Amino acid sequence: MDPEEYRRRGKEMVDYICQYLSSVRERRVTPDVQPGYMRAQLPDSAPMDPDSWDNIFGDIEKIIMPGVVHWQSPHMHAYFPALTSWPSLLGDMLADAINCLGFTWASSPACTELEMNVMDWLAKMLGLPDKFLHHHPDSVGGGVLQSTVSESTLVALLAARKNRILEMKVSEPDTDESSLNTRLIAYASDQAHSSVEKAGLISLVKMKFLPVDENFSLRGETLKKAIAEDRKKGLVPVFVCATLGTTGVCAFDNLSELGPICDAEGLWLHIDAAYAGTAFVCPEFRLFLNGIEYADSFTFNPSKWMMVHFDCTGFWVKDKYKLHQTFSVNPVYLRHPNSGAAVDFMHWQIPLSRRFRSLKLWFVIRSFGVKKLQDHVRHGTETAKFFESLVKSDPLFEIPAKRHLGLVVFRIKGPNWLTEKLLKELSSSGRVFLVPATIHDKFIIRFTVTSQFTTREDILQDWNIIQHTAARIVSQNCGFHCISSGDGTGIPNMIVEPSSDVISNASQLSPDGGKYKTPSRKIVVQPKKLAVSPSTCVISQELKGQGDPLDGCFPEDAQDVTKHKLTSFLFSYLSVQGKKKTARSLSCNSVPVTGGLEPCNPKAAATDKESHANTRILSRLPEEVMIFKKSAFKKLIKFYSVPSFPECSIQCGLQLPCCPLQAIV
């Protein structure tokens, strides 16, 4: 390919990218392929002769796109955002053309110096302390771009380990460093990301995961107690990883309590704000940063919510020399006349070479400005609030953890297998992408507002799919009656249409005056409305005033159950967050049996009308279900202990799985 063909083909690729991102909402979010789908479409060996660009370009839609998960889609609600933007794409286009390896200042001065200045910009945008700035008279710290938060956490732990071992060598000069390392111990909450556990494995530092409070936050007293216990065992506490915005429910550890303890005990305090860090560009969210002055290091991903595409991770330390003593190697071929006087980022990281990542970050910050980035964060947060209001308006669902920022967690009221089945059906449809988590042995679904192009209409469409799928599952498994939609489709008489107040409140997502204005959508092609079957929403008058529609339909006095392993494929989505926890399990054989039948609702005898209503529900329950005690059913709903799995045989009307279970939290 010569320069002229590159110019022509480059324009074609830009046009293709524009068309793709402008119409991505019309594509199926998740691919309908199986592992190995691509093997038959590619030759066994690389071509000996050049292929034409037309053939290569044509294979993008033929081979690549059928297997792509469309992370930029407004209907992508799994994990956390992984956004891009036009300025970000242009930045990497230029960086790829320059293709410098910025390991030292001398290897590309612009690469190093732009990164230093942009990292100072970013620190000030987030409200970080001056000690994290390169250009401040009282600072010996600074920021650097790493590839991931996982790498940043590992770098921080390795630096903390090296610093503590050097301190221990002063009093124990004859002890081998590997022996000293065996006595070190680090801490994080049991909600911390799996990368924290991996950092411990790589560094050979023991990692203890501490329990959290009712808000899933790690508190000071818990840490203080753990430190005291481990010191009595002869261990040496060295490191604490505090999470701001946990993966499961976006919870925040209490920095104002953890910080003073780390300072008093001499522990390195590292802060993982991978997702939530972007929100700190908005002053109203900085209350979660109370205590940041105690931090030794801080990391977050602009590649998540700031519209700077992967890879781009900000990492700041208050003392750069602790990184130097950990990672510094200085062969003669890497030395230059300004060594020591200039910053050489090779001493701040594990790899030697590094990309010109700061270009795309520079382009994004300048193109949007701080105010537009703040508007973007507020739009995502307000959109999540709107989805939260829809879930709260339906009595079939519950929100088991407080919403923070753009993440809402929800589940169907009742045993875990109802929510698991809902997630399975939503995933198989490909129209919306969600992933699960577990909290307090409850199986939950995470709903994250990811795309900057997500609108109220997108949220309503996704909620319509979720609501109708859930209603169908519950009606099929709990005996609710259905009504006809007029087209022969049965609609459960339990779907609650969002109130006019809920819909009207969504208008607050973009109020006039420039506060929370939705970003311009000029490039977005609005999709045709998806046909959802059943598509009619009805308000069940019978459900109003009856409370939980599932109340009285599940066990109350089921025996305590043994702890087993969960085999469902859905739990492969779950990241291991510190420890493995077992979930309560229940098989059909462990449910107590009685010779007589009891009504599902003990209050049904109060009036003939109530008795008749309960009889109607009972008449639709499978005969096998009727042999269970009402009290046994309530036990199930109390502990949410029965996920169901497609590979398990079903032996009762409620589809209780007769197999071992295990939940990974």
Side-chain angles (χ1 to χ4, degrees), residues 80 247-250 275 384 403-409 446-448:
F80 280 127
T247 302
V249 299
C250 197
Y275 162 66
R403 179 202 57 77
H404 286 300
L405 304 178
L407 173 63
V408 180
V409 298
R446 300 170 71 261
F447 185 102
T448 310

Side-chain angles (χ1 to χ4, degrees), residues 215-277:
N215 294 316
F216 307 98
S217 174
L218 179 60
R219 304 298 298 273
E221 282 302 315
T222 303
L223 175 62
K224 192 173 183 178
K225 180 180 178 182
I227 292 172
E229 290 176 350
D230 289 330
R231 288 197 188 279
K232 289 180 180 179
K233 298 176 183 177
L235 298 176
V236 180
V238 63
F239 178 88
V240 173
C241 179
T243 305
L244 300 183
T246 60
T247 302
V249 299
C250 197
F252 293 79
D253 290 340
N254 194 315
L255 292 186
S256 61
E257 294 181 0
L258 301 176
I261 295 172
C262 291
D263 185 54
E265 297 283 350
L267 275 65
W268 181 298
L269 177 58
H270 173 69
I271 297 175
D272 173 357
Y275 162 66

Side-chain angles (χ1 to χ4, degrees), residues 32-54:
D32 186 17
V33 297
Q34 296 299 319
Y37 86 95
M38 193 181 290
R39 179 65 177 167
Q41 301 182 64
L42 297 176
D44 290 337
S45 303
M48 295 298 295
D49 297 315
D51 202 348
S52 72
W53 180 257
D54 287 332

